[in-house]
Amino acid sequence: MDADFPDPTDWIQTPVPGLQALETSLRCQVCKELFTAPKVTSCGHTFCSLCIRRCLSASSKCPTCMKPDEEPRLRDNIVVSELVNSFDTIRKSLLETLVAKEEARKQAEEEAQRDASTRPKRSSYDLDDDGIMEDAEPVHRPRGKRRRQDTTASRQTQEIGPPRRSTRTSSQRINSRIGSSQTPVVVESDDDDDFQPIEEFSEDDDFRSSSRAKRKPTSRVPETPTKKPDLVPCPICSRLKEQSNIEVHVDRCIDGKRSPSPTLGRANDASSAGTPLKRQPISFPNVSKLQHRAPYTAEEREKLRLPKGNASLAKEADIRKKLREIGIKCDVKGKDTKQVLWTRLQEWTNLWNANLDSESPKTKPVLIKELEAYERSQLAQKPSVVQNKDFEREAWSNAHKPGFDALIANARKTATQKKEDGTEAEATDQPLDSMAGVQAELNGIGSPEAIEA
Amino acid sequence: MFAQKRLGKELSNIHKSLPPGISIASASDFSNWKMDIQVLDTNPLYADQIYRLNFKFSGSYPIEAPEVTFIKEDGRDIPMHPHIYSNGVICLDLLGTNWSPVQNVESVCMSIQSMLTSNTKNERPPGDDTFVRSGYRSPRNINFVYDDNTV
């Protein structure tokens, strides 16, 4: 219960409470977590891939504005994904730094109050020292022998920077510190492997490479020119080439013989559409290949989004077959109904599709485990069968028909008995009450038999 | 799992700050919470009264709406309102068809609070007697017709 959840309200206690609003907008409104694989709806709201898929399968509306929407219209929100990634990496250190700073400031204030009572001339002395006095941290600056060495807070602040620095300076320091710590120098080993800032937009490429590119896009940009000072952009394909090799490269570019880089995605091709010389001339065999595409390979099939299907058109046997093909268990505890199987398939579709959107996809067995855990958590909290929203009334009333019939017959019997000997009024009180109870119960369930009876 | 994580987050938020007039009465697990609400203005119907709301969460929260009812407990009564039955069941579209996963416990409390604040009629919904006698135990089985946009 009392687990520590990272939360936007953490920032209220820091010197920059405005960060609360920033973090709130980086969190999904459904699960309240930082976005995982953010998707934007057609109305422009952003949610986690899995959250919005679950919401849309429950009701085809945007959770925020209630406008109708459908799954196929969801789009990746790449900027938000990058924002979340970079925010997530700095969040912990930023929070620690700011909290330490705030604590140091409070301590400094206390010290200042104590100081002020003992030594009233302090402020003029400080101004003489270096002429600059920050309002936020009036005391916590090195003052020779008077400086406190024993408190942990002041030691922490020392690590961050001189305590009298303003917020802006120290945050710049944090940024540079983090930047340097997480920036491995990218040395491009292959001469032909070029600088590709557009790589991250090719979503269908290998997940790992694209996610790596997303994490450190900023570090690569300034790094490249300093590492290779004699690079010149090719006028044809604008790749960076060594000056000595540029002429050979340009010749190859014009001839169109240059082998395409293995990491080049579709998006990159499209973006350089203005340079027609780079493209391979379209030949007829290619066109026919496009028209009759070869069947998906096993690898390609692993990356296909699953269709949603339609509950009323799907047959129970088909659902069962599909689930078995995936490797999901059916009929664990007795025979599952079509409704249960359908819900299971839907949840699997959601999990599967959301997993494909994720930057670090999980394997199929892990997903199946997740599906089972999800179903168990759903079952565990169902308060009662009758109160369940998709409770099957007819099945229930059929299964309990003998019991209901017996009760009704009993009630009828007592009623006729009452008519026969009206004198025994007190004896009939009890059964009549029970009948009323039965009626109420049946009304609550809405059973058709109850209305007839 | 999903629901518990989300409720955990909400709970830590609730412990940190709540809007005026709303307080937490008990939240010992992730399936049942009790919240106290209070109308803050001088509405004579509810002045100086505290009411207790019972939240019941299913495993599919927040995709599915929680069951929210008023309960009689610790001397707390059921408020008089043309959309609140005397057994505590609340007829509010937000808790039924218009539920959205972006809502949370806090926003539901605030909606109910404002629903009370804006009310001027000291009455129960029509057919309150029959409804209460019919023995509905859960608001989930009821198909409300949300016909009144004034309250």
Side-chain angles (χ1 to χ4, degrees):
Chain A
M1 280 294 290
D2 296 323
D4 186 34
F5 293 103
D7 194 85
T9 48
D10 292 345
W11 300 106
I12 296 176
Q13 49 178 331
T14 69
V16 198
L19 283 166
Q20 187 197 358
L22 174 71
E23 192 178 326
T24 309
S25 42
L26 289 180
R27 278 178 186 273
C28 169
Q29 285 294 296
V30 175
C31 64
K32 311 274 179 196
E33 301 273 356
L34 289 173
F35 289 115
T36 35
K39 286 273 178 185
V40 62
T41 61
S42 55
C43 49
H45 294 102
T46 303
F47 303 94
C48 296
S49 180
L50 184 57
C51 294
I52 187 66
R53 282 171 199 279
R54 275 179 182 158
C55 289
L56 289 179
S57 29
S59 71
S60 301
K61 279 184 286 184
C62 164
T64 305
C65 65
M66 297 295 195
K67 276 192 188 144
D69 206 349
E70 286 149 356
E71 261 201 69
R73 298 168 78 176
L74 296 176
R75 292 286 171 270
D76 284 342
N77 201 340
I78 293 162
V79 175
V80 169
S81 151
E82 282 165 8
L83 278 171
V84 167
N85 274 339
S86 47
F87 181 77
D88 201 23
T89 40
I90 62 159
R91 187 186 191 276
K92 198 166 171 248
S93 57
L94 184 62
L95 185 63
E96 275 170 8
T97 315
L98 288 177
V99 166
K101 198 172 159 61
E102 179 71 1
E103 274 170 13
R105 195 186 61 84
K106 274 185 193 152
Q107 210 152 23
E109 253 172 26
E110 279 170 28
E111 207 182 321
Q113 279 176 355
R114 256 180 283 136
D115 260 20
S117 58
T118 53
R119 220 169 58 95
K121 282 171 102 184
R122 186 190 51 81
S123 60
S124 62
Y125 166 82
D126 275 333
L127 282 169
D128 289 342
D129 202 18
D130 54 7
I132 297 162
M133 190 69 196
E134 294 280 345
D135 286 338
E137 319 244 354
V139 190
H140 216 285
R141 46 193 301 283
R143 271 190 285 122
K145 287 163 194 168
R146 287 191 52 85
R147 193 167 152 208
R148 282 172 63 107
Q149 305 272 346
D150 53 339
T151 56
T152 49
S154 66
R155 249 186 288 128
Q156 274 173 318
T157 354
Q158 261 178 286
E159 285 169 21
I160 302 149
R164 67 198 155 105
R165 296 271 172 138
S166 67
T167 316
R168 203 200 303 155
T169 338
S170 77
S171 65
Q172 274 169 356
R173 277 185 157 245
I174 298 157
N175 282 342
S176 66
R177 205 164 52 117
I178 286 152
S180 62
S181 69
Q182 63 150 180
T183 310
V185 176
V186 184
V187 182
E188 304 194 3
S189 54
D190 184 13
D191 200 23
D192 223 47
D193 186 15
D194 306 293
F195 169 55
Q196 296 157 8
I198 314 154
E199 183 196 343
E200 62 207 70
F201 291 99
S202 53
E203 58 158 67
D204 285 339
D205 277 352
D206 184 17
F207 290 102
R208 275 163 232 287
S209 75
S210 71
S211 73
R212 216 191 310 124
K214 271 181 205 174
R215 274 183 204 286
K216 288 124 189 172
T218 46
S219 67
R220 289 183 68 161
V221 180
E223 214 82 6
T224 327
T226 51
K227 286 289 145 196
K228 294 184 173 182
D230 53 345
L231 285 183
V232 177
C234 162
I236 312 279
C237 67
S238 64
R239 290 157 186 256
L240 294 175
K241 287 287 143 199
E242 270 176 43
Q243 208 160 14
S244 50
N245 287 348
I246 189 77
E247 281 180 21
V248 185
H249 172 81
V250 168
D251 284 346
R252 277 201 292 170
C253 256
I254 291 168
D255 290 344
K257 281 175 191 166
R258 206 186 149 283
S259 62
S261 172
T263 43
L264 262 184
R266 279 184 287 101
N268 207 357
D269 277 340
S271 73
S272 53
T275 58
L277 282 173
K278 190 196 150 197
R279 284 192 168 179
Q280 295 272 346
I282 297 167
S283 55
F284 285 105
N286 273 352
V287 175
S288 66
K289 251 184 212 166
L290 284 175
Q291 279 167 348
H292 310 282
R293 190 172 55 181
Y296 289 113
T297 63
E299 205 175 305
E300 278 175 330
R301 219 177 292 132
E302 289 292 295
K303 284 180 187 169
L304 282 180
R305 304 281 195 282
L306 297 175
K308 270 301 206 192
N310 182 314
S312 45
L313 291 180
K315 285 177 189 150
E316 192 178 326
D318 291 341
I319 305 173
R320 239 172 247 278
K321 198 179 149 204
K322 257 189 202 164
L323 286 172
R324 286 223 182 82
E325 273 172 13
I326 300 162
I328 300 167
K329 286 173 199 153
C330 306
D331 309 321
V332 185
K333 294 173 199 160
K335 198 168 157 30
D336 285 327
T337 59
K338 185 185 168 187
Q339 180 63 38
V340 172
L341 293 171
W342 178 251
T343 329
R344 190 171 298 159
L345 186 64
Q346 290 295 294
E347 180 57 23
W348 171 257
T349 315
N350 288 340
L351 276 172
W352 177 263
N353 290 349
N355 187 48
L356 289 181
D357 296 328
S358 157
E359 282 180 8
S360 48
K362 295 164 194 154
T363 59
K364 205 168 166 185
V366 175
L367 281 184
I368 292 177
K369 283 256 161 56
E370 253 174 43
L371 176 70
E372 282 165 8
Y374 180 78
E375 280 203 352
R376 247 179 280 124
S377 78
Q378 299 287 86
L379 288 175
Q381 291 211 359
K382 284 274 148 71
S384 121
V385 263
V386 188
Q387 288 179 13
N388 192 345
K389 201 164 111 190
D390 36 59
F391 167 69
E392 281 165 66
R393 284 151 192 211
E394 273 185 40
W396 175 273
S397 46
N398 285 338
H400 294 78
K401 200 172 191 313
F404 290 151
D405 285 346
L407 282 169
I408 292 166
N410 194 17
R412 284 215 176 107
K413 208 172 77 187
T414 44
T416 45
Q417 259 181 8
K418 191 192 165 191
K419 263 182 203 163
E420 280 168 15
D421 36 24
T423 47
E424 291 179 40
E426 79 271 22
T428 52
D429 270 349
Q430 193 70 24
L432 269 181
D433 275 355
S434 76
M435 188 179 88
V438 171
Q439 287 284 18
E441 184 88 5
L442 287 171
N443 283 340
I445 302 164
S447 148
E449 280 92 335
I451 297 152
E452 284 165 29
Chain B
M1 183 178 59
F2 189 61
Q4 287 176 4
K5 223 172 174 182
R6 152 90 189 232
L7 284 169
K9 279 181 184 297
E10 279 190 39
L11 192 62
S12 70
N13 248 344
I14 283 174
H15 280 312
K16 273 180 199 151
S17 69
L18 268 179
I22 296 170
S23 61
I24 189 160
S26 82
S28 50
D29 55 24
F30 288 134
S31 62
N32 218 332
W33 291 7
K34 283 166 186 165
M35 305 289 290
D36 279 344
I37 66 165
Q38 207 177 342
V39 175
L40 293 170
D41 69 348
T42 52
N43 191 333
L45 286 171
Y46 314 109
D48 304 324
Q49 288 276 349
I50 302 173
Y51 300 104
R52 182 156 291 180
L53 281 170
N54 188 37
F55 282 76
K56 208 174 197 176
F57 305 102
S58 75
S60 5
Y61 179 82
I63 306 289
E64 208 169 78
E67 284 177 27
V68 186
T69 51
F70 279 103
I71 47 169
K72 282 185 185 173
E73 197 182 74
D74 293 349
R76 313 261 197 265
D77 219 341
I78 311 283
M80 271 312 234
H81 191 282
H83 291 172
I84 299 171
Y85 291 92
S86 50
N87 58 359
V89 173
I90 307 164
C91 174
L92 179 64
D93 61 347
L94 188 76
L95 301 171
T97 51
N98 273 8
W99 167 259
S100 150
V102 300
Q103 305 283 357
N104 54 32
V105 173
E106 193 183 309
S107 71
V108 168
C109 284
M110 283 169 78
S111 301
I112 294 174
Q113 199 183 27
S114 72
M115 173 176 147
L116 293 182
T117 311
S118 55
N119 177 40
T120 50
K121 296 179 200 156
N122 185 14
E123 58 183 40
R124 291 279 176 215
D128 180 48
D129 280 358
T130 17
F131 177 80
V132 174
R133 248 189 294 121
S134 66
Y136 286 104
R137 279 159 305 173
S138 157
R140 192 156 293 175
N141 302 330
I142 313 164
N143 291 319
F144 283 122
V145 180
Y146 306 107
D147 52 351
D148 188 354
N149 294 323
T150 57
V151 189

